[in-house]
Amino acid sequence: MTDADAAPVVDTTKVDVAFEAAKTACALRGIEVVRLDDPKPCCLGLELTGATRTWSVNVDCGEEHLRLPRVWTTPPISPLAHVSYSGNVCVDDGQGLSLDPGRPAEIVAHAVLKAFDLLENSATDAATGNSEFFNELEGYWLFLPGSLRSRAYFEVDGNSRMIKGFVNSTLKEPKWYFVERDAELPWDVKEGKFAGQRALYVHLDALGLPPAKPDKLTPAFIEAVHERLSPEQLKLWDQLVGPSKNSPKQLALLVSVPRQAGGRSLVAVVFGASGGAVDQKAPVTPLTMRRHAANYMRERGGASLGLLGKHVAVLGAGAVGGVVVDTLAAAGVGKLTVVDHDEYSADNVFRHLLEPLYIELGKPIGLKFALERRYPGLNITPVCTTAQDWLKTANLSQYDGIVLAFGAPSIERSFSRALNGRRHDLPVVFTWLEALDLGGHSVLTWTKGEGCLDCAYRDDEGQPSQASRTSFLEPDQPVTRNLTGCGGAFVPFGAIQARRTGLLAAEHMLSAMTAVAAGDEAREPSYRFWVGEGKAATKHGLRTTPWFHAARTTLPDDATRQVFGRACQQCRSPEETT
């Protein structure tokens, strides 16, 4: 026998050190621990005695410890919460635990204790009704043998009904899609031209336990669900398994059950049927659902469900306005009217969020195509005309707020006067940025009450002025450039400046709508801003105002008092208009 034929030498030092750390940690908790034979190289095997039973626990000690190591146990004879079908114990750190990779033995000890606590709590849960297991049902379902990932494009709302299923059987692992029967097909289903399949969604108050290893799902699971159906659900069942052109046929059953932690767990199976009954010889395939319904995705993604019914008009869909539209949509605003007469052009690409494929389309139309596909449930009404024409026929009672992102002071002031004193009290945000790297501004006013954009156009004595007291740039300085002649003139700024300003304005509007929703009676104007370095502006010989330097150390509340401390002549006593 040569050296090349000898078994590789495994360094057990790391595992030995981890065992000592785990033994010490368990001793402090009064947990009896015995070391077992290591299940494989660089893995630690332990036997832990708890109040409910004795657990075999295995830990992978060879990982880099950038997260808690993998822990597994002998698959239980009956499903347990936080334990997968194959025995993996969910000791996820929840993204909130800071680990020091230089102390691997302590990390292993921490994982052992966390696994022990999970196992003990799961055993108690199993003895008292499995409520925690059903909180985690979807995670267990994912690892059942043969489980396929699928997509649900309908709301899991507890209302049992027939839905429509589609399957892409050309993939190595077939993928299922489920939609409402009368809904527009999702783009991936529409492009695939998949044939429709019968599917039923039912909600039950309770569900039997799924199989534990080594058992698999069988028609007995379908029969158990059938026995729990109400008379109304049985009528739907008859529609599912009833006569069709194809017999035997493949059907899908989707079942939701309440989660004690809130919401509903959703699982599904594909099974065979023949002659109006479950085909006992056909396989039963578990489906793990990925929910693509608007309400679920909004809540899961951090968007506010309370904003879904809100409607905001954004006037101006350039670099700043586009960011405002995108941010409001991402925050959860469900309806947006976007007004801009301009087409998207190659000049806009590097500072606008739209892709080049939308060049020569109206900017509002481009935003509709791009964002409605990105944010489920979003509805954008594109208006490819001037904001002045839009305002002539706009019914402001339909809106919950208006954002003006023109970057044109004369037009903004005219809109401020036109909107001031309207019958419906709406928040109105005016936003603009200044050339190069100087900064950006957002002014919030209301259509009723004092405080308007003209309040900013006053001198230190309170007299009307052509220059805004919020300006970072001294007046009467040319800032536009052109690369192709007068027709190509533009104000120089970059994508970062546009995005910072758009975010500022969107947050301003969201804070106003949130205050209204909370019943806050205060309708006070406010001024927010960000200040850039100004190095590029200085390099180009531009002169800045004293406010540009003072703003760096001025709080927004103090700046608001400076601008709106006393109402101007335009908004002091406006006459109410329709």
Side-chain angles (χ1 to χ4, degrees), residues 157-162 200-204 233 236:
D157 53 12
N159 296 316
S160 299
R161 59 194 180 275
M162 293 295 294
L200 171 62
Y201 161 61
V202 295
H203 180 73
L204 301 177
Q233 291 171 332
L236 295 171

Side-chain angles (χ1 to χ4, degrees), residues 313-317 337-341 364 381-387 390 406:
V314 180
L315 314 184
T337 293
V338 183
V339 183
D340 198 309
H341 71 286
T381 300
V383 180
C384 296
T385 187
T386 65
W390 169 82
F406 301 136

Side-chain angles (χ1 to χ4, degrees), residues 15-35:
V15 180
D16 294 339
V17 173
F19 169 67
E20 293 300 325
K23 183 171 70 172
T24 299
C26 288
L28 293 174
R29 291 273 303 275
I31 302 169
E32 183 180 340
V33 57
V34 176
R35 185 170 182 179

Side-chain angles (χ1 to χ4, degrees), residues 184 363 560:
E184 181 179 355
K363 290 176 181 175
T560 295

